Amino acid sequence: MPDSTIKPQTKAKPKVERPKLYKVILVNDDYTPREFVVRVLKAEFRMSEDQAAKVMLTAHQRGVCVVAVFTRDIAETKATRATDAGRAKGYPLLFTIEPEE
């Protein structure tokens, strides 16, 4: 009987890439009250009062401010919900997303 060697088969592991990240950006406007922006940042992005105030002031001074970085689905959802909160009160509050470099 011939000797047969059994070679173990190796399974190729699929290479899993990390998901691309997206920045949620607060765009400043001259109509939305600062207190309301802070309230939205605290509610939607779970920021402290101090963090929310700093983000709001940065957006006010520079025109825009990165609020947080998430995967695409989460970034889109949070940006949409935060923008919708402003629209519900009649404010032109705007959050956008863009890919992180």
Side-chain angles (χ1 to χ4, degrees):
M1 229 171 130
D3 286 330
S4 56
T5 24
I6 301 172
K7 293 182 180 177
Q9 291 183 351
T10 57
K11 292 183 181 178
K13 288 186 178 179
K15 192 167 187 173
V16 179
E17 284 187 28
R18 297 189 123 216
K20 288 186 177 181
L21 297 176
Y22 287 77
K23 299 182 277 191
V24 178
I25 299 169
L26 167 60
V27 181
N28 185 52
D29 66 75
D30 293 333
Y31 303 101
T32 307
R34 293 180 180 190
E35 297 78 22
F36 182 76
V37 175
V38 168
R39 200 170 340 141
V40 169
L41 290 170
K42 286 172 58 178
E44 189 59 45
F45 297 96
R46 302 199 187 282
M47 293 184 170
S48 68
E49 183 84 24
D50 289 341
Q51 286 175 313
K54 286 177 185 174
V55 168
M56 178 273 301
L57 282 174
T58 301
H60 181 71
Q61 293 166 348
R62 297 187 178 183
V64 294
C65 182
V66 175
V67 177
V69 179
F70 300 103
T71 58
R72 184 177 185 162
D73 290 345
I74 295 171
E76 284 178 343
T77 300
K78 288 193 173 281
T80 301
R81 287 177 57 176
T83 299
D84 289 348
R87 298 280 185 265
K89 295 288 186 178
Y91 299 125
L93 182 63
L94 178 63
F95 289 82
T96 62
I97 69 166
E98 68 179 44
E100 187 179 51
E101 283 90 42

